[in-house]
Amino acid sequence: MSAVTLEEVDRQILNGFRFLRFKPAIEKLFLQDYAANRVRLAPIWAIVGTLIYDLVYFGDRTMMADVFSQLMLVRFGIFTPFALFSVIALRRWPNALNYDLLAICVAVLGVSLPMSVAMHSGSPYLFVYQNGNVAAFLFFVIALAPRFPTILIGLVLMCAVQFTTTKLSGAFDDVVYTGIITFYVTLTIFLVLSAYFTEHKDRLNFLNQLRGSLLHVQLEQKSERDELTGLFNRHSLDRVRASIWRKNGEIASVAVIMLDIDRFKLFNDVHGHVEGDECIRAVCQCISREVAGNGTTFRFGGEEILVLLPDTNCEVASAIAERTRRSIESLAIHHRGLGDGHVTASLGVTCGKTSQETLEDLLKTADAALYEAKRAGRNTVTVARPSAKLLQ
């Protein structure tokens, strides 16, 4: 879902999709959802469809007695195994194309197998018997419900089989044969129209569901992210704290870095709040690059940044802090309040075991280390080592 934006979905809804096709990124998501839904229902339809198809056994026996054994062979020896194979194949290769191909095969076989046998029958009930294929048409479009192009191809093939076998049977005069063609063409037209509007509605529902999901993600991100910097905010700190201080103790230790931009109030007074915001944004982007996947970064206060580093010792945390300090300094953001000076940052570092230290304890220690770095002249890193008790 991350490959699609809310704006793209809104634009797709606005522009419409008369040809039942989305923009590539959205279409990819739709096909994934389509395949997942169809594959999940495939076993049910395989059981229901095969059961109904094989129950025609009773009609075969009464109406097509002279070719009954051949009909049993194609129903139980060919179609039923193929239906089971289709379910297994979809479980093995679950994608939209495979589903559509198998749906066409099931539909065409469902019509062609019994008709290829019945066309050789001398039964007077052939007219009634061939009308039973209406169920196959309906099952293909309504129950299997493949994509619209697949339905078009499938219905054309099914009609071709139906018209060819009834013609070759020689059982119908021109008037009856024309009536059969008219009936199935009319049925096909209604099914095609129904399939188009059904898929259009399904696609619109998909877009609305996708839009709702993206809105939900966006709201979650806004509730947990600082709007200016994109970093996590203090509201999200409880969630991250819970994931680190779990009762099962998966994360044994954590390091904390507390960072403060040096003389930032003076920077705001001299440069103004617009440049102040740009400064904070640039510094936070720098911190995010240096921390990367090692931990989680929060905007803890106005110009105060907090970094939590799970399963990280003081040496590693100190190295990350020092690298971050140098990186901020190398931004060379001019600080006119300091003459020719540039923006720098001070950092306090501490670490501890999650079984012995709470987040509040570590924050207090890191904050004290930060103020020690300030007193030491700023633009420096101070490490508050864990107590002797924690090293035991």
Side-chain angles (χ1 to χ4, degrees):
M1 188 180 297
S2 59
V4 176
T5 65
L6 182 61
E7 291 73 19
E8 289 175 319
V9 175
D10 285 338
R11 192 158 50 247
Q12 183 72 76
I13 294 174
L14 180 64
N15 294 336
F17 41 93
R18 282 180 294 175
F19 299 106
L20 301 181
R21 185 79 180 181
F22 298 141
K23 295 296 182 181
I26 301 177
E27 183 71 15
K28 182 179 179 181
L29 292 178
F30 172 76
L31 292 181
Q32 291 173 354
D33 182 74
Y34 164 84
N37 288 332
R38 296 303 189 275
V39 170
R40 186 176 66 251
L41 293 174
I44 297 175
W45 289 127
I47 294 171
V48 173
T50 304
L51 181 62
I52 294 173
Y53 191 80
D54 290 343
L55 282 175
V56 182
Y57 161 88
F58 298 103
D60 292 340
R61 190 172 63 178
T62 55
M63 290 189 288
M64 297 283 123
D66 56 339
V67 290
F68 177 67
S69 59
Q70 295 94 316
L71 286 171
M72 291 305 93
L73 175 63
V74 297
R75 288 192 188 279
F76 296 100
I78 299 177
F79 184 85
T80 300
F82 182 80
L84 297 176
F85 163 78
S86 298
V87 174
I88 296 171
L90 282 175
R91 291 289 184 178
R92 179 66 178 83
W93 300 288
N95 61 62
L97 178 60
N98 287 342
Y99 179 83
D100 287 351
L101 290 175
L102 288 170
I104 286 180
C105 291
V106 167
V108 173
L109 280 176
V111 172
S112 62
L113 289 177
M115 286 303 296
S116 64
V117 174
M119 61 183 281
H120 300 291
S121 172
S123 172
Y125 303 110
L126 183 58
F127 178 79
V128 176
Y129 186 81
Q130 61 85 30
N131 281 335
N133 283 328
V134 171
F137 279 67
L138 295 174
F139 185 80
F140 173 59
V141 174
I142 299 173
L144 295 182
R147 286 177 289 172
F148 183 70
T150 304
I151 287 177
L152 282 179
I153 296 171
L155 289 175
V156 168
L157 292 175
M158 293 168 77
C159 283
V161 170
Q162 184 72 15
F163 300 155
T164 301
T165 53
T166 52
K167 181 67 175 179
L168 292 176
S169 71
F172 309 110
D173 58 31
D174 291 342
V175 174
V176 175
Y177 182 67
T178 301
I180 292 173
I181 292 177
T182 302
F183 173 75
Y184 278 99
V185 168
T186 304
L187 174 66
T188 297
I189 291 172
F190 281 118
L191 289 177
V192 166
L193 290 174
S194 173
Y196 176 87
F197 289 114
T198 297
E199 182 169 335
H200 191 279
K201 181 179 179 181
D202 289 344
R203 283 177 173 266
L204 183 59
N205 288 339
F206 172 79
L207 285 178
N208 288 326
Q209 290 172 3
L210 180 59
R211 187 177 188 275
S213 298
L214 290 171
L215 277 173
H216 180 70
V217 170
Q218 190 178 81
L219 289 173
E220 278 192 335
Q221 289 177 342
K222 284 186 175 181
S223 70
E224 291 205 340
R225 296 277 182 176
D226 175 64
E227 188 173 356
L228 175 64
T229 64
L231 300 181
F232 285 106
N233 55 29
R234 293 188 70 159
H235 173 72
S236 63
L237 187 56
D238 287 337
R239 177 182 58 78
V240 177
R241 178 222 306 261
S243 68
I244 294 175
W245 272 268
R246 288 175 180 168
K247 291 182 179 181
N248 56 20
E250 290 179 2
I251 299 175
S253 62
V254 61
V256 174
I257 300 175
M258 191 73 79
L259 179 150
D260 188 75
I261 301 175
D262 294 328
R263 302 188 187 279
F264 185 73
K265 184 179 183 304
L266 179 61
F267 184 95
N268 254 345
D269 292 340
V270 174
H271 291 261
H273 289 286
V274 173
E275 287 191 40
D277 287 348
E278 292 177 355
C279 174
I280 290 179
R281 192 180 296 112
V283 169
C284 288
Q285 289 174 351
C286 180
I287 297 168
S288 294
R289 285 195 302 270
E290 297 301 331
V291 174
N294 295 304
T296 308
T297 308
F298 305 82
R299 187 179 181 189
F300 198 64
E303 67 273 16
E304 200 169 40
I305 309 301
L306 168 67
V307 180
L308 296 183
L309 303 164
D311 286 327
T312 304
N313 58 39
C314 279
E315 287 70 24
V316 173
S318 178
I320 293 174
E322 179 58 29
R323 192 167 64 241
T324 302
R325 184 198 65 78
R326 290 197 303 267
S327 183
I328 293 171
E329 188 177 26
S330 67
L331 292 175
I333 301 173
H334 186 213
H335 193 322
R336 291 198 301 271
L338 302 177
D340 293 331
H342 295 88
V343 170
T344 60
S346 300
L347 300 92
V349 180
T350 190
C351 58
K353 294 182 179 179
T354 55
S355 61
Q356 300 179 13
E357 293 279 347
T358 65
L359 176 60
E360 287 72 19
D361 294 333
L362 294 174
L363 290 178
K364 289 178 183 178
T365 305
D367 199 47
L370 170 61
Y371 280 101
E372 182 61 32
K374 294 280 190 182
R375 286 193 293 270
R378 297 183 173 85
N379 191 25
T380 188
V381 174
T382 298
V383 180
R385 298 285 175 177
S387 65
K389 179 184 72 171
L390 297 179
L391 292 174
Q392 293 177 353

